[in-house]
Amino acid sequence: MQLSRGVEWAVHTCLNLSWIGTDEGVSSARLAAFYDLPPAYLNKQLQLLVKAGILTSTAGRLGGFSLARRLDEVTLLDVVIAIDGPVEIFRCEQILKNGPGGSPSVDYRSTCLVSGAMRKAEMAWRKELTGTSLADLREQVMRSFPDTPEMTRGRFRELA
Amino acid sequence: MQLSRGVEWAVHTCLNLSWIGTDEGVSSARLAAFYDLPPAYLNKQLQLLVKAGILTSTAGRLGGFSLARRLDEVTLLDVVIAIDGPVEIFRCEQILKNGPGGSPSVDYRSTCLVSGAMRKAEMAWRKELTGTSLADLREQVMRSFPDTPEMTRGRFRELA
DNA sequence: GCCAGCATACTCGGATAGATTATGTCCGAGTTAGTTTGG
DNA sequence: CCAAACTAACTCGGACATAATCTATCCGAGTATGCTGGC
């Protein structure tokens, strides 16, 4: 019952790409070295972000990943879904179908009150994630840790 | 990225025990037959509820499970944690430790803004689950489906 | 008839397999930069 | 000297192992019931 590790990697990597700011792609090897992550596995996760339209990738010698949209058009939920697919924390298997008075034709995911309560909680979670964009995070970081952008660029120059 | 199936089973089973209302235990076999669930596996989940102090179990010929507390003292989060353990949807592995300016002594689970945003969303989820007790659900069911208590008792009599 | 002891049937509980998912690795297709070669 | 073709190195992308977790099952220890036999 956890999101994939890749979610954390993805969010931080998107922010890093934003600090770098160039239009040129950054290879997954360098992005992985930044946090000492397994390069091939990070690559795999970044592919998912490409499929979701959050990053673009270019092959070839100077290829790599770069941001596909503006950061204020990417919410945390977008990243979560890109990595983990359509997330459903609570799983309603409609066991009421087999209970007394249960009908095969009823969709208990919408009528069952247990399911409803769980879904309501899940919606609260999603609402928070939808309400926070990567641009919001970026701004928070700049406010709380003003050195981060330059330190990030510096580290990436070392990894050149 | 999902809660165990057992969560749904556990909630419905607690409500069923409440409809029955007797102090005598109900065996996991009967509780499972009610929804046509795998008996031994449901038993396993109910054991977890016992450990969490939500149910009590008695062995022996007329043994079984029964409610340990009043339903208004059991929240949905209690059940979720009983089944799935201490749940953390987002996993902060503190990759910032390896980044530039990262320090091994800092706890980035509390300082990292990404982690903070994720935790905030998770808190919204938990708040909803904490705010809903099984008694609340019970009342909702009685209001929306007044026949459920009697139908449940009837089915259990059949399974005697 | 009554009581003590016993066999029995049924319970939970934990230890044990099997399936599914998450994690991590490896190699190939494709592309671009730099080099080489011919005019 | 210049241009075009070529080589080589580096990129992503997906197919392939490995590890962890979730799901499900199977027996064994224990207990209350009802029976049995003696008083």
Side-chain angles (χ1 to χ4, degrees):
Chain A
M1 172 47 220
Q2 275 185 328
L3 295 173
S4 160
R5 324 175 53 188
V7 174
E8 183 185 14
W9 304 357
V11 176
H12 281 288
T13 297
C14 285
L15 288 177
N16 282 344
L17 286 173
S18 146
W19 302 134
I20 297 177
T22 75
D23 279 343
E24 299 162 13
V26 182
S27 76
S28 60
R30 288 175 73 200
L31 290 167
F34 190 90
Y35 290 124
D36 196 22
L37 303 174
Y41 193 29
L42 176 65
N43 188 353
K44 194 186 180 71
Q45 314 281 7
L46 297 184
Q47 286 174 36
L48 295 172
L49 294 183
V50 172
K51 274 189 185 169
I54 296 172
L55 299 184
T56 57
S57 62
T58 57
R61 185 153 185 188
L62 291 190
F65 294 91
S66 52
L67 292 167
R69 326 179 209 157
R70 287 173 30 189
L71 241 44
D72 58 358
E73 289 169 342
V74 182
T75 71
L76 279 181
L77 188 63
D78 291 334
V79 177
V80 168
I81 290 178
I83 300 292
D84 269 14
V87 186
E88 277 209 324
I89 300 176
F90 175 75
R91 175 169 19 166
C92 175
E93 293 190 335
Q94 309 192 55
I95 62 177
L96 288 186
K97 269 191 169 41
N98 300 324
S103 160
S105 60
V106 175
D107 181 5
Y108 288 98
R109 280 170 303 192
S110 49
T111 61
C112 171
L113 293 167
V114 173
S115 180
M118 289 303 207
R119 204 147 24 86
K120 187 180 168 198
E122 201 159 327
M123 283 304 159
W125 176 69
R126 296 167 84 95
K127 185 180 176 187
E128 286 291 331
L129 293 186
T130 306
T132 308
S133 71
L134 294 187
D136 296 333
L137 280 178
R138 184 188 143 96
E139 201 166 338
Q140 286 180 35
V141 172
M142 284 179 63
R143 203 184 315 273
S144 299
F145 307 100
D147 296 340
T148 296
E150 188 48 41
M151 284 177 70
T152 301
R153 282 189 287 267
R155 167 69 76 102
F156 270 108
R157 275 192 295 271
E158 291 172 16
L159 297 173
Chain B
M1 171 50 218
Q2 274 185 328
L3 294 174
S4 160
R5 324 175 53 187
V7 173
E8 183 184 14
W9 304 357
V11 175
H12 281 288
T13 297
C14 286
L15 289 177
N16 282 344
L17 286 172
S18 147
W19 302 133
I20 296 177
T22 76
D23 278 345
E24 299 162 13
V26 182
S27 75
S28 59
R30 288 175 73 201
L31 290 168
F34 189 90
Y35 289 124
D36 196 25
L37 303 174
Y41 192 30
L42 176 66
N43 188 354
K44 194 185 180 71
Q45 314 281 6
L46 297 183
Q47 287 176 35
L48 296 173
L49 294 183
V50 172
K51 274 189 186 171
I54 296 172
L55 299 183
T56 57
S57 62
T58 58
R61 185 154 186 187
L62 291 189
F65 294 92
S66 52
L67 292 167
R69 324 180 210 158
R70 287 172 31 190
L71 242 44
D72 59 358
E73 289 170 341
V74 181
T75 70
L76 279 181
L77 189 63
D78 291 334
V79 177
V80 168
I81 290 178
I83 300 292
D84 269 14
V87 187
E88 277 210 323
I89 301 176
F90 175 75
R91 176 170 17 167
C92 175
E93 292 190 336
Q94 308 193 54
I95 62 177
L96 288 186
K97 270 194 170 37
N98 300 323
S103 161
S105 62
V106 175
D107 182 5
Y108 289 98
R109 280 171 303 193
S110 50
T111 60
C112 171
L113 294 167
V114 173
S115 180
M118 289 302 207
R119 203 146 25 83
K120 188 181 169 197
E122 200 158 328
M123 284 305 160
W125 177 69
R126 296 167 84 95
K127 185 181 176 187
E128 286 292 332
L129 294 185
T130 307
T132 308
S133 73
L134 294 187
D136 295 332
L137 279 178
R138 184 187 143 96
E139 200 167 337
Q140 285 180 37
V141 172
M142 285 179 61
R143 203 184 314 274
S144 299
F145 307 99
D147 297 340
T148 296
E150 188 48 41
M151 284 177 70
T152 302
R153 282 188 287 269
R155 167 72 75 101
F156 270 108
R157 274 192 296 272
E158 293 172 14
L159 298 173

